[in-house]
């Protein structure tokens, strides 16, 4: 008989063991400790034990689902109308018994009872209260196609794909991107400034990315004007055991609106790569929405190649 209940304080070791046994693919950090779950999940100011539902058989945790909410428009608090199912994991020996389906049903009930009018499956972008630093690499971008059972399971529950994200990487020790002379001219005029005391732009950023090691880069004219482009880099040390190399993620990539189409985005990505290569970083990772063709053309132009795809789903039937 399977028992379903809310999270208990004694559950983390079994949840961690379950995470490692689930075969979540290349995008899930591994060889984690209880501290990683504590810092990135359980100690979040909005963590609700009722939103982490576990399945138990004979005293052992055999599955769990993690659900939460997105932020309000000001990114200063939760918006309980936007529910998100962040993870559904069942031990391989207990699959195909309806445990995952029941976990999702109970998660939906929890979200709806709290006020959700929309339920998304797969944390992504701002709608990712949990798993930043644990799943997806640079940031959660839905359920990954490299997570082999995710898509078939979610779709079987009546969820439909509503968006996708291209996940790119670039080898810093491999073939260099082609020389582009207009970028050489830009490089002469610009300089890369780095800040390790970047002020969190809002509460939502602080609760998630603020728990990881980050640096902020700005591409600034040598003449002293405002930054033309900027990005935040995120340490991905929790993925070293899985990927067996040092990878840094790029997020919040931004080019000044009036300066777009002039090469500043490409120049920023190249300069960050040069700087991090000096720090013995071997690879960079960047997530780009499938709909943002300009951004992924920029990434591909400077040597990034696609390694995965993240899919976000929404419930279309009950």
């Amino acid at each position: 008989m399977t028992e379903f209940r809310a999270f208990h304080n004694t559950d983390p070791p079994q949840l961690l063991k379950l995470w490692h046994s689930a075969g979540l693919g290349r995008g899930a950090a591994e060889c984690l400790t209880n501290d990683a779950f504590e810092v990135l999940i359980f100690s979040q100011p909005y963590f609700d034990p009722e939103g982490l539902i576990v399945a138990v058989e004979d005293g052992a945790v055999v599955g769990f689902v993690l659900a939460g909410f997105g932020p309000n428009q000001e990114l200063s608090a939760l918006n309980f109308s936007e529910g998100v199912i962040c993870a559904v994991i069942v031990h391989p020996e207990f699959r195909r018994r309806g445990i995952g389906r029941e976990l999702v049903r109970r998660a939906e009930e929890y979200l709806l009872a709290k006020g959700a009018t929309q339920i998304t499956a797969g944390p992504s972008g701002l709608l990712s209260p949990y798993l930043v630093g644990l799943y997806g690499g640079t940031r959660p971008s839905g359920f990954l196609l490299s997570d082999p059972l995710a898509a078939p399971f979610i779709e079987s529950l009546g969820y439909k794909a509503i968006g996708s994200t291209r996940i790119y990487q670039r080898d810093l020790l491999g073939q260099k991107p082609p020389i582009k002379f207009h970028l050489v001219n830009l490089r002469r005029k610009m300089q890369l400034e780095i800040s390790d005391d970047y002020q969190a732009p809002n509460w939502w950023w602080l609760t998630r990315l603020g728990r990881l090691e980050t640096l902020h880069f700005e591409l600034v004219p040598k003449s002293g004007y405002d930054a033309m482009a900027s990005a935040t880099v995120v340490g991905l040390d929790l993925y070293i055991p899985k990927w067996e190399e040092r990878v840094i993620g790029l997020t919040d990539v931004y080019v000044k609106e009036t300066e777009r189409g002039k090469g500043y985005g490409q120049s920023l990505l190249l300069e960050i790569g040069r700087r991090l290569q000096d720090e013995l970083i071997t690879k960079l990772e960047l997530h780009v929405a499938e709909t943002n063709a300009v951004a992924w053309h920029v990434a591909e132009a400077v040597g990034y190649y696609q390694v995965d795809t993240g899919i976000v789903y929404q419930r279309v039937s009950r």
Side-chain angles (χ1 to χ4, degrees):
M1 177 70 70
T2 306
E3 173 194 359
F4 297 90
R5 60 163 173 80
F7 169 82
H8 290 171
N9 289 336
T10 56
D11 288 336
Q14 292 195 69
L15 296 178
L16 187 64
K17 184 178 180 180
L18 185 57
W19 176 275
H20 286 142
S21 69
L24 300 177
R26 60 159 294 281
E30 288 188 356
C31 298
L32 303 173
T33 65
N34 287 326
D35 288 344
F37 270 24
E38 176 65 33
V39 171
L40 298 173
I41 298 178
F42 308 133
S43 66
Q44 290 288 15
Y46 45 78
F47 173 69
D48 182 358
E50 298 295 323
L52 202 173
I53 303 165
V54 301
V56 180
E57 287 206 10
D58 297 325
V61 175
V62 299
F64 74 87
V65 62
L66 178 60
F69 298 91
N72 63 12
Q73 192 169 9
E74 296 75 26
L75 305 180
S76 61
L78 294 182
N79 173 8
F80 289 99
S81 69
E82 288 195 282
V84 55
I85 295 173
C86 297
V88 188
I89 296 178
V90 176
H91 190 282
E93 295 179 5
F94 292 83
R95 291 172 182 165
R96 301 188 183 280
R97 291 173 44 180
I99 294 175
R101 181 178 295 270
E102 179 63 15
L103 284 167
V104 171
R105 187 189 71 79
R106 289 173 179 257
E108 291 172 343
E109 284 187 347
Y110 161 78
L111 295 171
L112 293 170
K114 287 283 188 176
T117 57
Q118 172 181 289
I119 296 178
T120 299
S124 181
L126 291 176
L127 195 59
S128 53
Y130 303 111
L131 300 192
V132 175
L134 295 172
Y135 184 87
T138 300
R139 63 174 177 84
S141 290
F143 290 117
L144 303 181
L145 292 185
S146 60
D147 187 348
L149 301 180
F153 172 70
I154 292 296
E155 291 171 356
S156 74
L157 300 179
Y159 283 81
K160 180 180 179 181
I162 60 167
S164 64
T165 298
R166 295 188 177 201
I167 299 173
Y168 286 98
Q169 290 186 346
R170 179 192 159 202
D171 296 314
L172 294 182
L173 302 183
Q175 183 178 5
K176 295 183 179 180
I179 295 175
K180 299 179 182 293
F181 290 105
H182 71 288
L183 297 183
V184 173
N185 291 329
L186 274 183
R187 191 181 184 192
R188 294 190 182 121
K189 302 175 183 178
M190 310 299 292
Q191 60 188 9
L192 192 67
E193 295 187 354
I194 307 173
S195 172
D196 59 1
D197 61 350
Y198 177 57
Q199 297 300 308
N202 52 68
W203 172 80
W204 193 240
W205 190 99
L206 183 63
T207 63
R208 295 147 60 255
L209 290 171
R211 294 170 181 261
L212 305 174
E213 291 187 8
T214 60
L215 288 173
H216 190 65
F217 288 76
E218 291 186 341
L219 194 65
V220 180
K222 292 179 180 178
S223 55
Y225 292 103
D226 293 338
M228 297 296 182
S230 63
T232 298
V233 301
V234 181
L236 301 180
D237 288 352
L238 293 177
Y239 291 87
I240 290 177
K242 170 69 74 69
W243 296 344
E244 297 183 337
E245 57 185 330
R246 294 189 68 199
V247 184
I248 289 291
L250 275 69
T251 188
D252 299 336
V253 178
Y254 175 78
V255 177
K256 192 175 180 180
E257 189 169 354
T258 57
E259 304 298 330
R260 292 173 184 172
K262 300 179 181 180
Y264 291 111
Q266 292 185 36
S267 185
L268 174 72
L269 296 180
L270 288 172
E271 291 303 315
I272 290 176
R274 291 188 183 99
R275 185 65 60 91
L276 293 178
Q277 188 174 20
D278 293 340
E279 302 298 325
L280 303 181
I281 303 300
T282 58
K283 190 169 287 183
L284 298 177
E285 183 176 281
L286 176 67
H287 293 210
V288 182
E290 181 67 40
T291 55
N292 192 347
V294 171
W296 48 260
H297 280 309
V298 167
E300 292 172 0
V302 294
Y304 284 79
Y305 54 91
Q306 189 171 356
V307 298
D308 211 338
T309 300
I311 308 292
V312 174
Y313 302 84
Q314 276 188 358
R315 187 68 132 137
V316 294
S317 64
R318 290 195 176 279

